[in-house]
Amino acid sequence: MMPSAAIAAPGLGSKVYGATIEPGETELELRYGRLTGGDQAGEDALVFEAAHHFANIYAALLAEFEREPHGDRKLSAIAGEAILPLGQIAGIDTALYGEYEAVIDGPDAIEAKLLLQKRAGQWDSRLNLIAGYALSVGGPVEFGYAASTDVEIAEEVRVGVAAFGGLGSSRNFSARGDHYAGPVVKTAIEHLAGGELEIEAGYLFAIGRARDEADGQLRLLLEFAKHF
């Protein structure tokens, strides 16, 4: 589990980042995740993001909201993030990601990711290797991952799988943590208000220790992108 106020379960309100940018493009994004089944059924995360692709870097501001089961939704953190593409290494697009998260009721946190992306024909595969650290706590660095692969089966329709999970910490590196994985479907509506709306929906099944708290999680991502 990463040290984030809003994202309690791996993947809840998160996404798998690509390793390339589109200079001049501006994005508005909404991400929503909700746990189903188990003791934590109804817990959700809602993230609003505004980003711009500059010539050599991607920069974004995020507002994260969370809701505990049977509770009220509340603002839990505001964050800034950046992606620096490194180009192709051994045929794989590679980038570095950094985030600073100002947490409302808890220690601030920093997070770094190594972003890897491979596109071959109609296939798009991505892997994010994650390291997060809660400031002013003195605890270990927490590790995790996010991964996806999908293929275009029709014009503007892609299907695939996504997975999120924890890999322990700098004190105890282990794959015996919370994991969620399942199918996703992606589509896009072009020429909408001069831009493009991308839609991703899916359901991730709880794996490993995650089954102690939930059966899975529903996911919905909406991203509007436009060159201004």
Side-chain angles (χ1 to χ4, degrees), residues 145-191:
Y145 70 89
S148 71
T149 186
D150 55 69
V151 60
E152 186 175 32
I153 61 170
E155 185 176 0
E156 299 298 350
V157 178
R158 306 183 66 86
V159 297
V161 294
F164 300 82
L167 295 174
S169 70
S170 54
R171 293 177 181 170
N172 182 25
F173 188 83
S174 172
R176 297 180 180 179
D178 294 350
H179 302 271
Y180 289 85
V184 295
V185 178
K186 302 177 181 180
T187 188
I189 302 174
E190 296 183 322
H191 311 301

Side-chain angles (χ1 to χ4, degrees), residues 63-78:
E64 306 178 2
F65 297 81
E66 67 174 0
R67 180 169 60 186
E68 299 294 331
H70 312 297
D72 296 325
R73 182 171 291 110
K74 60 181 180 179
L75 176 67
S76 57
I78 296 174

Side-chain angles (χ1 to χ4, degrees), residues 3 14 22 36 38-39 54 58 91 103 163 184 225:
S14 186
E22 297 290 338
T36 64
D39 295 338
F54 294 93
Y58 165 106
V103 179
V184 295

